[in-house]
Amino acid sequence: MAKADIAALLALAAAFFIAVGDVIHQRSAHEVTDEPVGHLALFLSLLRDRQWWLGSGVAAAGFALQAAALGLGSVLLVQAVLVTSLLFALPISARQSHRRVTRWEWMWAVLLAGAVIVIVTVGNPTAGQSRASLQSWIEVAAVLGPALVLCLIGAGVWSGPAGAVLLAVVSGALWGLFAVLTKSVVDRLDVTSVAGVGKLLATPELYAWALVAVAGTAMQQASFRAGTLTASLPTMTVTEPMVASALGVVVLGETLRPGEAGWFTLFAAVAVMVAATVALARGEAATREPA
């Protein structure tokens, strides 16, 4: 079996574990307190919640599988497959909340997953380098940083589904950055010798990776608390691979090779991904309207 195929299977398994962890986290975010709290206070409260730690353990298993997949395949491939976590999360969340996933939700979720399959097969992603230069990361920070700050400001202005979506964009972008940093960390990972451990500890990406993971988790929980899973998770699930893929191309030199005839199909698949995300988020807004 080719490395890319193994990477895709590992990413699919990671999608399942991450989906289960997300559902548990979303429930914890709503149940941990009845008081209106800020993002930091919410995160600190969750650190004392057993249910949240259970979800974190399940999600950690997913992240380990994701790291293994990134060690074998490109960021473009792995992150595209991870979008399928939505197909696992929707029915699990619906069962927990004692409701059915509607036919429209299933339709958009399946279209979302189908778009991912098209991107992976038609796009034919190829791996690039495992680490980026400091100059590249400075340029990424100059572009991504202000955009995320604007989203946070918007989330403070608009509450409900709109705020949940904006916070989900921040969280998804941070997890996309996390994925690229994970590839860099995995490339330096060698715990079989003291020299290998020292080499890893001297890697700047390791510390950025840890900080981004904490920030991404905090924003994820804030998004989950701001709305139900159909508002936050679709946005988060699509933003992550889009940011990760862009960074994979820009800073790691990964490429898509759809051929001349395949570019239209590829753009159409991306459009379907965006449309499905918007539709699922609007569906959440409708469920929150008073009867």
Side-chain angles (χ1 to χ4, degrees):
M1 186 179 290
K3 281 187 176 182
D5 295 333
I6 298 174
L9 290 174
L10 287 170
L12 188 62
F16 172 75
F17 281 98
I18 291 172
V20 175
D22 283 344
V23 172
I24 296 173
H25 278 164
Q26 197 265 350
R27 185 173 183 178
S28 297
H30 279 278
E31 294 180 351
V32 70
T33 179
D34 294 328
E35 300 296 325
V37 293
H39 303 331
L40 179 59
L42 173 64
F43 185 58
L44 292 176
S45 297
L46 287 167
L47 290 177
R48 299 190 294 271
D49 183 65
R50 277 189 194 176
Q51 182 176 250
W52 184 84
W53 280 107
L54 172 63
S56 297
V58 175
F63 292 138
L65 288 165
Q66 179 187 8
L70 287 167
L72 296 172
S74 66
V75 173
L76 290 169
L77 170 65
V78 173
Q79 294 306 120
V81 175
L82 281 180
V83 174
T84 58
S85 65
L86 186 61
L87 294 180
F88 298 117
L90 283 178
I92 296 172
S93 175
R95 183 176 178 83
Q96 279 202 338
S97 58
H98 306 291
R99 72 174 185 88
R100 290 184 178 181
V101 180
T102 67
R103 285 181 295 177
W104 285 107
E105 286 175 334
W106 273 123
M107 183 195 77
W108 286 114
V110 170
L111 283 173
L112 188 61
V116 171
I117 294 172
V118 171
I119 291 170
V120 171
T121 55
V122 176
N124 190 21
T126 57
Q129 58 197 26
S130 296
R131 300 183 66 197
S133 65
L134 177 60
Q135 179 63 32
S136 296
W137 284 122
I138 292 174
E139 292 170 358
V140 167
V143 175
L144 193 59
L148 297 186
V149 169
L150 287 175
C151 286
L152 287 174
I153 293 173
V157 175
W158 295 294
S159 60
V165 167
L166 288 171
L167 290 170
V169 168
V170 176
S171 178
L174 289 173
W175 285 120
L177 176 58
F178 176 83
V180 177
L181 290 170
T182 298
K183 189 166 183 67
S184 301
V185 171
V186 170
D187 180 65
R188 305 281 283 185
L189 184 62
D190 180 10
V191 295
T192 59
S193 66
V194 175
V197 174
K199 185 179 178 181
L200 176 63
L201 293 176
T203 304
E205 288 93 336
L206 175 65
Y207 304 98
W209 175 80
L211 288 172
V212 168
V214 173
T217 300
M219 290 298 99
Q220 180 190 57
Q221 299 306 140
S223 176
F224 284 161
R225 185 172 175 83
T228 62
L229 214 64
T230 48
S232 54
L233 191 58
T235 304
M236 203 179 300
T237 304
V238 174
T239 302
E240 178 182 345
M242 289 181 70
V243 171
S245 298
L247 292 177
V249 171
V250 173
V251 305
L252 298 183
E254 296 184 353
T255 57
L256 290 168
R257 300 182 300 171
E260 291 184 9
W263 281 110
F264 175 79
T265 303
L266 195 61
F267 286 132
V270 172
V272 170
M273 285 178 61
V274 174
T277 302
V278 172
L280 287 166
R282 287 185 66 183
E284 153 62 8
T287 63
R288 290 174 65 93
E289 290 178 357

